[in-house]
């Protein structure tokens, strides 16, 4: 069936026969122990390391060699001894891994796994915006395509966005893209008036709104709040703290990596979490004595969930889907990412 199967007794054939495809992803295979054993066997045969984003399905996280945010995983990919990287996340994340590991083979289990935030600004959009503000410094969130990174002066993560913007001379205009909520957070913290923010958003994070947060706070008055700065409710969380509805020390605006650090340190019995629901699995593993509850339990990214057990099995059997980035684009994008890494604190991620 494939090069991999020709080199073995092909026990995967029974599993692969169950795989079916649809516009929403590959299905037909359960993420059970048989599947996990086969994934690990095939990864070893292919000389691959498996990376899984924090928002992935629990079975995908459990079988992965490394779990984390997109940039930290891309840096792990660059340092890994394996020649093949299987990135269980959305497409721009696999692109970033390829940018930092140009000589390695990078696979994504389903190339249709896109990102509404990355799609909210195109290279054409950014070129036009730059023309309106000649001389401005472009700061792009890592949740962007390689082509947008290539037009960027310096990238940022949600954990170091404030530091990145603060490193830019105060008299320089800054174009911040694509997430309007993260941009608003940076502007609020830095007080920078010459920071222009693109009106993009992650549809999942934007859907976690202030009214839902306020209702959850009323129902759970003793809970801490872990809020991702991409969320539409981030401003509401700070407002609630300012009004005294929640003690200020209980409101934490955090990246996904920051949430894990805070989970390990918290003494709270209950934490309300405003981000994609896949993060709850990692938080509960990190602090099993704490009750983590989603502010919005419908906040699930359909693109992240396209990386199914069936998709990962297909990926390792067929060597699909390979992600490539034009070398010139990759070189320019790599410079913007490396400038960010030089600022510091880039591993806590988006």
């Amino acid at each position: 069936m494939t090069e991999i199967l020709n080199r073995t007794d092909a026990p995967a054939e029974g599993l692969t026969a169950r795989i079916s495809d649809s516009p929403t992803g590959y299905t037909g295979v359960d993420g059970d122990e048989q599947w996990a054993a086969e994934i690990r066997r095939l990864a070893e045969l292919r000389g691959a390391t498996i990376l899984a984003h924090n928002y992935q399905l629990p079975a995908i996280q459990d079988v992965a060699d490394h779990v984390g945010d997109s940039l930290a995983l891309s840096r792990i990919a660059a340092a890994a001894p394996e020649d093949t990287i299987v990135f269980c996340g959305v497409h721009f994340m696999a692109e970033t891994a390829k940018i930092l590991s140009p000589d390695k083979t990078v696979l994504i289990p389903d190339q249709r796994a896109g990102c509404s935030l990355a799609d909210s600004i195109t290279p054409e959009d950014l070129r036009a915006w730059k023309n309106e503000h000649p001389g401005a410094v472009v700061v792009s969130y890592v949740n962007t395509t390689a082509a947008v990174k290539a037009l960027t002066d310096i990238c940022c993560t949600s954990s170091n966005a404030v530091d990145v913007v603060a490193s830019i001379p105060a008299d320089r205009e800054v174009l911040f893209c694509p997430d309007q909520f993260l941009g608003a957070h940076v502007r609020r913290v830095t007080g920078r008036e010459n920071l222009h923010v693109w009106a993009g958003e992650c549809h999942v994070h934007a859907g976690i709104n202030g009214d839902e947060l306020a209702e959850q706070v009323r129902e759970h008055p003793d809970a801490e709040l872990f809020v991702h700065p991409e969320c539409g409710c981030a401003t509401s969380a700070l407002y609630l703290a300012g009004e005294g509805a929640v003690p200020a020390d209980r409101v934490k605006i955090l990246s996904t990596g920051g949430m894990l650090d805070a989970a390990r340190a918290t003494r709270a019995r209950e934490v309300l979490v405003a981000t994609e629901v896949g993060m709850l699995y990692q938080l509960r593993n990190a602090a099993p004595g704490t009750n983590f509850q989603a502010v919005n339990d419908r906040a699930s990214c359909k693109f992240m969930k396209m990386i199914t057990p069936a998709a990962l099995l297909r990926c390792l059997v067929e060597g699909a889907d390979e992600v490539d980035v034009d070398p010139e684009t990759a070189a320019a994008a790599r410079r913007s990412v490396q400038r960010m890494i030089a600022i510091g604190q880039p591993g806590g991620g988006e």
Side-chain angles (χ1 to χ4, degrees), residues 126-139:
L126 184 50
R127 286 192 191 95
W129 202 27
K130 290 172 70 171
N131 288 337
E132 293 173 6
H133 300 273
V137 178
V138 177
V139 177

Side-chain angles (χ1 to χ4, degrees), residues 126 129 132-133 135-141 152-157 160-199 229:
L126 184 50
W129 202 27
E132 293 173 6
H133 300 273
V137 178
V138 177
V139 177
S140 293
Y141 193 20
T152 293
D153 293 301
I154 182 168
C155 286
C156 72
T157 67
N160 75 354
V162 170
D163 291 337
V164 166
V165 171
S167 75
I168 299 167
D171 62 346
R172 295 287 301 276
E173 280 189 298
V174 177
L175 304 182
F176 188 97
C177 68
D179 190 80
Q180 59 183 310
F181 300 111
L182 179 58
H185 171 70
V186 172
R187 182 189 283 143
R188 182 169 53 241
V189 174
T190 62
R192 192 166 188 136
E193 295 183 359
N194 60 351
L195 176 69
H196 307 285
V197 179
W198 187 260

Side-chain angles (χ1 to χ4, degrees), residues 56-74:
Q56 289 292 295
L57 294 166
I60 301 294
Q61 294 188 36
D62 285 344
V63 82
D65 297 299
H66 304 279
V67 179
D69 66 74
S70 65
L71 181 63
L73 291 174
S74 291

Side-chain angles (χ1 to χ4, degrees), residues 250-269:
R250 287 196 209 156
V251 177
K252 305 180 190 302
I253 309 297
L254 300 164
S255 66
T256 54
M259 286 184 182
L260 282 171
D261 292 339
R264 296 183 185 106
T266 190
R267 295 183 177 179
R269 294 183 178 180

Side-chain angles (χ1 to χ4, degrees), residues 87-150:
F87 207 120
C88 299
V90 294
H91 197 270
F92 81 81
M93 297 178 181
E95 278 191 334
T96 305
K98 183 65 177 180
I99 288 166
L100 295 180
S101 306
D103 297 327
K104 295 187 177 183
T105 298
V106 177
L107 305 175
I108 184 170
D110 192 331
Q111 65 182 347
R112 297 169 295 185
C115 173
S116 60
L117 177 57
D119 288 345
S120 66
I121 187 166
T122 66
E124 293 74 23
D125 291 332
L126 184 50
R127 286 192 191 95
W129 202 27
K130 290 172 70 171
N131 288 337
E132 293 173 6
H133 300 273
V137 178
V138 177
V139 177
S140 293
Y141 193 20
V142 292
N143 294 33
T144 46
T145 64
V148 167
K149 288 183 177 73

Side-chain angles (χ1 to χ4, degrees), residues 190-265:
T190 62
R192 192 166 188 136
E193 295 183 359
N194 60 351
L195 176 69
H196 307 285
V197 179
W198 187 260
E201 63 183 29
C202 161
H203 72 286
V204 175
H205 283 104
I208 307 174
N209 61 56
D211 290 342
E212 287 177 323
L213 180 66
E215 181 181 351
Q216 292 279 14
V217 166
R218 285 192 297 269
E219 294 179 1
H220 305 273
D222 297 324
E224 284 189 346
L225 304 183
F226 288 5
V227 181
H228 195 284
E230 278 183 46
C231 286
C233 67
T235 299
S236 297
L238 295 173
Y239 174 80
L240 291 170
E243 292 295 301
V246 182
D249 62 354
R250 287 196 209 156
V251 177
K252 305 180 190 302
I253 309 297
L254 300 164
S255 66
T256 54
M259 286 184 182
L260 282 171
D261 292 339
R264 296 183 185 106

Side-chain angles (χ1 to χ4, degrees), residues 270-288:
E270 191 168 31
V271 176
L272 298 175
V273 182
T275 191
E276 208 272 354
V277 294
M279 190 68 203
L280 293 172
Y281 186 67
Q282 282 292 311
L283 293 173
R284 289 164 179 164
N285 286 340

